C-alpha cells in the first residue's frame, strides 16, 4: 500500500517570493508521483507528473518538482509566485504496475498575499 | 480538452433519502472514479470502474453504491443518506492503463445532508 504525507496544511507567502510545498511518500513498490492543483470552487487539475527518467519535472504555470528516491520525497517548487497561485495543492502517488489507483495527501493550501 | 461534467454543483437532501450523483465524461475514457473530499483528509476513493458494468470498491465504500451502464456515465448512489455523508464529491476519468494516465476531474458536487 502507498501513503502520502503533506506536512504543511497551509503555506503563506508574499507575491514574487519563492515557495516549496513538501511531499513525502511511502511505498513498498516503485511509484508514479503527481501534483494536482485545486482552485476555489473547481475540481483538480494536473500540474505535473513523474513517471521515470529525469528526476526534475517541469509542469504548468512555472512549477517544478524533484523526485528524490532516497528521501522518498517529491517537493513542489516555484521561484516566484503570483496572487493567482493561491489554491490548494495535492500530492498523489500510484504504484507503477497493476491498476494504478491514486492515493492523495491531505493537501497544502498556498496563500499568496501582495 | 477532456470534459468531466457533474450534474449538480450544490445539492441539499434529507437524512434517509436515496441520493444520486451523476457524472459524464466526453473523451471515451475507460476508467472512472468517485472521491469524497473533506478538510484535513484530502481525497478518498469511494468506488472506481474500469469498464462498463464493472465496479471496484475503493477505500471508503460503506454507505455508497455505483452504476455504470454506459461508458461515459458513472453514477454514485447514497442508498440512505446520513449526515456524515455531507461532503464534496469529485468525479474523475482516465484512459486505460499503460504509462500512467492522468485523471481528469469534474468541478465537484457539494452535498449537504440535513
Amino acid at each position: 500500500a502507498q501513503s502520502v504525507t503533506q506536512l504543511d496544511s497551509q503555506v503563506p507567502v508574499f507575491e514574487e517570493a519563492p515557495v516549496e510545498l513538501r511531499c513525502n511518500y511511502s511505498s513498498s513498490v516503485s511509484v508514479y508521483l503527481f501534483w494536482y492543483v485545486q482552485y476555489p470552487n473547481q475540481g483538480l487539475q494536473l500540474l505535473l507528473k513523474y513517471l521515470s527518467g529525469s528526476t526534475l519535472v517541469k509542469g504548468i504555470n512555472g512549477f517544478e518538482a524533484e523526485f528524490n528516491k532516497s528521501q522518498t520525497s517529491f517537493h513542489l517548487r516555484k521561484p516566484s509566485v503570483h496572487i493567482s497561485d493561491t489554491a490548494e495543492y495535492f500530492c498523489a502517488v500510484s504504484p507503477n504496475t497493476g491498476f494504478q489507483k491514486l492515493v492523495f495527501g491531505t493537501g497544502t493550501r498556498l496563500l499568496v498575499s501582495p | 480538452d477532456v470534459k468531466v461534467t457533474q450534474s449538480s454543483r450544490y445539492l441539499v437532501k434529507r437524512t434517509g433519502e436515496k441520493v444520486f450523483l451523476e457524472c459524464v465524461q466526453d473523451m471515451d475514457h475507460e476508467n472512472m472514479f468517485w472521491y469524497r473530499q473533506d478538510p484535513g483528509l484530502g481525497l478518498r476513493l469511494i468506488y472506481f470502474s474500469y469498464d462498463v458494468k464493472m465496479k471496484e470498491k475503493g477505500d471508503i465504500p460503506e454507505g455508497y453504491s455505483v452504476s455504470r451502464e454506459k461508458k461515459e456515465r458513472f453514477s454514485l448512489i447514497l442508498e440512505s443518506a446520513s449526515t456524515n455523508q455531507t461532503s464534496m464529491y469529485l468525479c474523475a476519468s482516465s484512459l486505460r492503463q499503460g504509462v500512467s494516465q492522468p485523471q481528469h476531474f469534474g468541478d465537484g458536487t457539494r452535498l449537504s445532508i440535513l
Side-chain angles (χ1 to χ4, degrees):
Chain A
Q2 290 74 43
S3 67
V4 177
T5 301
Q6 292 182 250
L7 285 171
D8 305 306
S9 60
Q10 192 164 291
V11 172
V13 65
F14 289 110
E15 194 174 17
E16 298 183 6
V19 71
E20 178 179 85
L21 305 184
R22 296 181 294 167
C23 173
N24 287 89
Y25 70 93
S26 171
S27 176
S28 57
V29 300
S30 296
V31 295
Y32 297 142
L33 292 154
F34 306 81
W35 276 99
Y36 282 82
V37 59
Q38 184 179 34
Y39 298 105
N41 297 316
Q42 293 185 24
L44 277 69
Q45 177 183 347
L46 182 67
L47 264 183
L48 49 78
K49 61 183 177 182
Y50 171 79
L51 302 181
S52 65
S54 172
T55 57
L56 184 63
V57 179
K58 294 191 183 298
I60 62 171
N61 301 340
F63 283 93
E64 64 181 32
E66 186 156 20
F67 171 56
N68 187 319
K69 190 174 181 180
S70 62
Q71 297 189 3
T72 60
S73 67
F74 190 54
H75 300 331
L76 182 69
R77 301 185 185 102
K78 187 169 183 178
S80 175
V81 296
H82 192 267
I83 296 283
S84 60
D85 292 322
T86 294
E88 188 146 24
Y89 292 79
F90 292 93
C91 182
V93 62
S94 79
N96 67 359
T97 57
F99 192 87
Q100 292 150 7
K101 289 192 303 179
L102 283 176
V103 174
F104 286 88
T106 52
T108 297
R109 188 170 299 276
L110 177 64
L111 298 169
V112 183
S113 53
Chain B
D1 245 8
V2 177
K3 184 75 174 173
V4 178
T5 303
Q6 296 184 230
S7 54
S8 305
R9 291 301 303 273
Y10 301 93
L11 208 53
V12 180
K13 295 292 182 181
R14 297 216 171 267
T15 303
E17 279 193 70
K18 190 169 186 175
V19 180
F20 293 85
L21 303 184
E22 306 288 346
C23 174
V24 177
Q25 50 94 3
D26 66 357
M27 283 303 290
D28 205 35
H29 283 175
E30 291 84 6
N31 303 325
M32 295 189 75
F33 307 83
W34 275 107
Y35 296 90
R36 64 177 281 176
Q37 180 181 9
D38 299 289
L41 296 178
L43 276 74
R44 293 177 292 167
L45 182 64
I46 305 171
Y47 267 97
F48 63 97
S49 168
Y50 51 87
D51 204 348
V52 176
K53 296 193 185 295
M54 305 303 291
K55 60 185 179 184
E56 295 284 341
K57 292 180 180 179
D59 300 318
I60 52 163
E62 296 78 20
Y64 304 94
S65 63
V66 290
S67 172
R68 192 159 180 208
E69 296 297 317
K70 293 185 178 181
K71 191 174 186 180
E72 67 270 18
R73 185 180 297 271
F74 193 35
S75 303
L76 179 69
I77 303 155
L78 286 65
E79 297 291 342
S80 177
S82 64
T83 55
N84 63 11
Q85 293 178 309
T86 291
S87 186
M88 169 72 89
Y89 290 87
L90 291 167
C91 175
S93 70
S94 69
L95 286 168
R96 193 182 298 283
Q97 306 308 308
V99 176
S100 185
Q101 300 293 330
Q103 293 185 17
H104 299 265
F105 285 81
D107 286 340
T109 295
R110 190 168 293 282
L111 175 64
S112 296
I113 307 296
L114 304 179

